Every structure is written in structure tokens, then in C-alpha cells.
Amino acid sequence: MQSLLKMTWMEAKLFLREPASAFFTLVFPLIYLFMYGMISGNEPTPMYGGRGTIDAAIPSLTAVIISMAGLMSNTMTMATYREKGILRRLGTTPVSPLIVLAAQVIVVFTMTFLGMVLLIAAGKLVYHVRFDGNVFSVLGGFVLSSLSFFGIGFILAGTMPTVRSAWVAAMVLLYPMLFLSGAFFSVELLPAAIQKVSAFMPLTYVVNLLSGLWIGEAWSSHLLDVGVLVGMLVLGIIVSAKRFRWE
């Protein structure tokens, strides 16, 4: 337990010293939130069922944080550790490589959660956003969504041969999802053919689940979203366990 606490503290300091990870997790979503606010404010609109743009943006931008943390922070850190031989060297010490994995998950999850808290705080203080859901229900959706994307990140980190290839693979997955999942703007605004493509984007199911729970919808209304995310999580665990290479 003491080893895990020490590794978690070290990973937290390394995360905050890395400008890109901290920026995209904590600052980037806030920039988009304020951009939405300056463009359209938070006046009720029929597009979002009588809610404002910022009301709808909070869960969607939370999904953006989850995807970036899962596909960038986790992937790049673990791929770097493996390529530089850090995991292999740790295998010769009392600190198990599994401790490193656990510490990384704890840190990235905590920072992802902090990013969501900052979004909600800014939305409440500046735009008086509406929240009609259940706090614990939304937290449950957040945890499931985060772990599902962490699983994808570990698959990339464990199967890509180099840090550069892991980065490219993460970007190839991430950018189409950001623009085709409803994370930045409603899927209904896209052409019909493109809307069909969004069904193949994992982030679509995070956006759908978090947006629904945010406005008070029941989990039973999102069984497809939950099923896809649970499937991603299970797949991530199985593939990572079988294919993750420590060196």
C-alpha cells in the first residue's frame, strides 16, 4: 500500500509537470465552455429541449475530457515507460509494474474527475447551468465511461511498437470521435450519412449516457450505451492482459 501511495504521488507530480496532459484535461474544455458562452450564452433553445447551450455542453465536454485522458495521457505515459525500459527495470525492484499501472490509472482518473468538477463549477458560477439528474447516477456514468476509455488506452500502449506509433494511433481514433460523436455539437446537425458513422464512434455512447443522466433520464433508457461501454471495458481488460508487453 505504501508503494502504491508513493508511486501515485510521483505520477501526480509528473502529470502536472507535463503541460500537454494538464492543459487538455483541465484547461482545454474550459476554453470551449467559455467560447460556447460567448457565442450563444445559455438561453433556452428548442435544439436542446428547452435547455441552454451550456447546459448541454457540460456532459459533452466531460466526454471530451474522458476521451483525451484515456487515449492520450494513459497511452503515452505507459508507451513511454515501456519503450524506455522503465517497466522492465521496475520488474527487478520491489515495486511491481502493476503498481505503476494502478498509480497511473488513479492519477489520470483523479485529474479527469477534477476536469469535470472545474467544468461544472464554471458552468454554475458563470452560466447558472441546470442539473436535473442524480449526482450518484452521473458519477456512476462518469466512472464507467472513464474506465472504458482507459481500457482502449492500455490496448494502444500495449500493442503499438513505439511511442510515436501509439501517438499516431491515438490521434487517428480521437479526432474523428470528437467531431462525429456529438461532443462538440449535436449529431442531428450532421448530414444523415455522417450520422450513421457516429454509431461506430465509442465516444458517441459516452456523450449519450452522460447527457441523458445529466438531465435526469434513467439508466434503463441507455441500455445500449451502457452495454457498449461495458463491452469496451471488458475488451480492454482482456486484450491488455494478453497483449500488454512490459518491454
Side-chain angles (χ1 to χ4, degrees):
M1 187 63 181
Q2 187 175 8
S3 297
L4 178 60
L5 291 175
K6 289 182 178 179
M7 286 301 303
T8 301
W9 177 242
M10 184 189 75
E11 290 290 340
K13 291 190 290 185
L14 291 174
F15 182 95
L16 293 175
R17 288 174 183 172
E18 173 54 51
S21 296
F23 174 80
F24 282 109
T25 304
L26 304 176
V27 180
F28 179 76
L30 286 173
I31 292 175
Y32 262 89
L33 184 76
F34 291 125
M35 285 177 56
Y36 289 149
M38 289 186 291
I39 293 171
S40 58
N42 197 33
E43 296 300 320
T45 171
M47 181 183 299
Y48 299 114
R51 293 174 174 80
T53 301
I54 306 301
D55 297 329
I58 296 290
S60 297
L61 290 176
T62 297
V64 171
I65 297 174
I66 290 171
S67 64
M68 288 186 168
L71 294 180
M72 293 176 65
S73 297
N74 264 340
T75 301
M76 299 312 300
T77 299
M78 298 314 301
T80 299
Y81 283 1
R82 192 190 71 242
E83 185 173 300
K84 292 186 175 181
I86 295 175
L87 293 179
R88 177 176 52 80
R89 290 196 295 271
L90 284 173
T92 64
T93 70
V95 179
S96 167
L98 291 176
I99 296 287
V100 181
L101 289 177
Q104 178 67 15
V105 169
I106 291 171
V107 168
V108 176
F109 178 83
T110 301
M111 294 302 172
T112 306
F113 179 74
L114 179 58
M116 180 181 70
V117 170
L118 290 174
L119 271 178
I120 295 174
K124 281 287 186 182
L125 291 174
V126 181
Y127 300 107
H128 309 291
V129 296
R130 288 175 56 183
F131 175 65
D132 300 318
N134 178 278
V135 172
F136 296 104
S137 185
V138 172
L139 284 177
F142 173 80
V143 171
L144 173 60
S145 301
S146 297
L147 294 179
S148 297
F149 265 81
F150 289 177
I152 298 177
F154 280 120
I155 290 175
L156 295 179
T159 57
M160 293 295 104
T162 65
V163 174
R164 184 181 297 275
S165 62
W167 175 265
V168 171
M171 293 299 98
V172 168
L173 288 175
L174 179 62
Y175 281 109
M177 284 196 294
L178 292 178
F179 294 102
L180 300 178
S181 65
F184 285 141
F185 45 81
S186 177
V187 173
E188 284 72 21
L189 298 176
L190 300 173
I194 302 299
Q195 290 184 32
K196 295 179 180 179
V197 176
S198 68
F200 297 94
M201 300 290 169
L203 190 58
T204 297
Y205 301 96
V206 176
V207 173
N208 290 343
L209 178 61
L210 294 183
S211 297
L213 297 177
W214 182 265
I215 64 176
E217 293 178 354
W219 281 77
S220 58
S221 300
H222 295 274
L223 293 180
L224 175 60
D225 303 319
V226 173
V228 170
L229 294 176
V230 170
M232 287 168 51
L233 176 57
V234 172
L235 180 65
I237 293 173
I238 293 174
V239 175
S240 296
K242 289 183 175 295
R243 298 296 304 275
F244 194 92
R245 295 174 291 113
W246 298 104
E247 55 182 87

